[in-house]
């Protein structure tokens, strides 16, 4: 990571985010429990929070919980009656997330569903769950197109779909790549471009988590 990105993120956090005991404790518990440090950064987590607040989201769906770091940022954006459903395949990650969310005081708003997200999502569609105001996709990248389709089925018109890690140090434009994560992300861009119900952009980010980006799409009314 070039010098400066991490320092500026720390400076941004100092000015606009401050010390956050619960989130600091969550990252410490994640590390102690052997979870990979692939959570969104503090500034990115707060962006998710601001996006959720800006559309008055009260139903949020997340694909990829890890230790619940992004989950906490999103759950804190919810009003009193708000709910967040988050999908995670790894029972140990889910257990650690449950502890972190409880300690952060948002455990009662969040439901962690353990299992392969594709299966959970098709079950949710079959049950007519939702609609969700915001869907945050941040799990196994090869399934990103399938997650996008599910998100479209489960989101309300005017809802937001946000996808993490769509740039990956520029690897997304490497036409020779055989990395399944890169291929999944390229396919995601194609699918979004071909989807008339979505108005979308992608924003590159630099910071504590290196060079990456978010795809952000709004679901149009029919
Ligand atoms: N959103 C988190 C980071 C998620 S990391 C944050 O920013 O704090 C990606 C997570 O997706 C990991 O915990 C991984 O176990 C989970 N995952 C991977 N494949 C999955 C699948 N098929 N279904 C559900 N979760 C999956
Ligand atoms: C990876 C996954 C993520 O969601 C992320 O934000 C960073 C890295 C990964 O699988 O390597
Ligand atoms: Mg991610």
């Amino acid at each position: 990571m070039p010098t400066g990105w991490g320092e500026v993120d720390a400076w941004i956090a100092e000015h606009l985010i401050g010390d956050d005991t619960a989130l600091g404790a969550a990252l410490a518990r994640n590390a102690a429990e052997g979870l990979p440090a692939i959570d969104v950064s503090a500034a990115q987590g707060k962006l998710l929070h601001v996006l959720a607040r800006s559309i008055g989201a009260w139903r949020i769906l997340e694909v990829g919980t890890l230790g619940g770091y992004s989950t906490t940022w999103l759950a804190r954006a919810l009003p009193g009656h708000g709910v967040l459903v988050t999908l995670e395949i790894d029972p140990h990650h889910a257990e650690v997330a449950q502890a972190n969310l409880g300690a952060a005081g948002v455990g009662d708003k969040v439901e962690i569903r353990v299992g392969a997200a594709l299966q959970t999502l098709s079950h949710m569609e079959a049950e007519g769950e939702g609609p969700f105001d915001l869907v945050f996709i941040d799990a196994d990248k090869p399934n990103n197109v399938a997650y996008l389709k599910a998100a479209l089925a489960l989101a309300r018109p005017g809802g937001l779909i946000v996808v993490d890690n769509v740039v990956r140090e520029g690897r997304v434009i490497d036409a020779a790549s055989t990395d399944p994560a890169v291929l999944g992300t390229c396919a995601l861009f194609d699918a979004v471009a071909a989807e008339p119900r979505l108005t979308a952009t992608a924003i590159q980010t630099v910071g504590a988590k290196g060079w990456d980006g978010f795809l952000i799409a709004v679901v149009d009314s029919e």
Side-chain angles (χ1 to χ4, degrees):
M1 189 194 309
T3 321
W5 293 0
E7 287 87 341
V8 173
D9 246 6
W11 182 87
I12 290 170
E14 216 173 276
H15 280 78
L16 301 180
I17 301 176
D19 273 341
D20 197 312
T21 313
L23 287 172
L27 294 179
R29 191 196 310 261
N30 288 356
E33 293 287 343
L35 271 55
I38 57 174
D39 343 66
V40 294
S41 70
Q44 291 170 337
K46 195 158 184 189
L47 171 65
L48 296 172
H49 174 97
V50 168
L51 288 173
R53 289 270 299 278
S54 71
I55 60 164
W58 67 274
R59 299 156 300 195
I60 295 176
L61 172 63
E62 177 179 64
V63 185
T65 315
L66 191 64
Y69 184 85
S70 54
T71 321
T72 300
W73 276 114
L74 286 165
R76 285 174 172 176
L78 292 170
H81 63 293
V83 289
L84 190 157
V85 176
T86 183
L87 314 184
E88 174 56 54
I89 198 168
D90 185 317
H92 181 57
H93 293 182
E95 212 175 287
V96 174
Q98 193 70 64
N100 284 334
L101 294 163
V106 292
D108 55 334
K109 288 180 171 171
V110 178
E111 189 193 333
I112 306 174
R113 298 195 190 164
V114 181
L118 272 186
Q119 250 177 293
T120 312
L121 288 165
S122 66
H123 185 74
M124 291 173 74
E125 283 180 60
E127 295 290 314
E129 279 194 53
F132 291 91
D133 305 300
L134 188 152
V135 184
F136 178 49
I137 299 173
D138 189 20
D140 49 324
K141 314 310 177 191
N143 278 323
N144 267 344
V145 170
Y147 295 148
L148 175 80
K149 300 287 175 201
L152 259 173
L154 290 165
R156 70 162 165 86
L160 285 184
I161 300 173
V162 181
V163 187
D164 193 23
N165 310 117
V166 301
V167 174
R168 299 310 283 271
E169 298 171 319
R171 290 197 293 279
V172 68
I173 62 163
D174 176 4
S177 178
T178 55
D179 177 347
V182 171
L183 296 174
T185 302
C186 288
L188 172 75
F189 275 80
D190 290 338
V192 171
E195 174 52 63
R197 290 181 60 209
L198 289 175
T199 299
T201 189
I203 287 294
Q204 302 186 69
T205 56
V206 297
K209 298 286 167 164
W211 174 24
D212 215 322
F214 287 115
L215 185 143
I216 304 178
V218 60
V219 180
D220 297 327
S221 311
E222 319 234 15

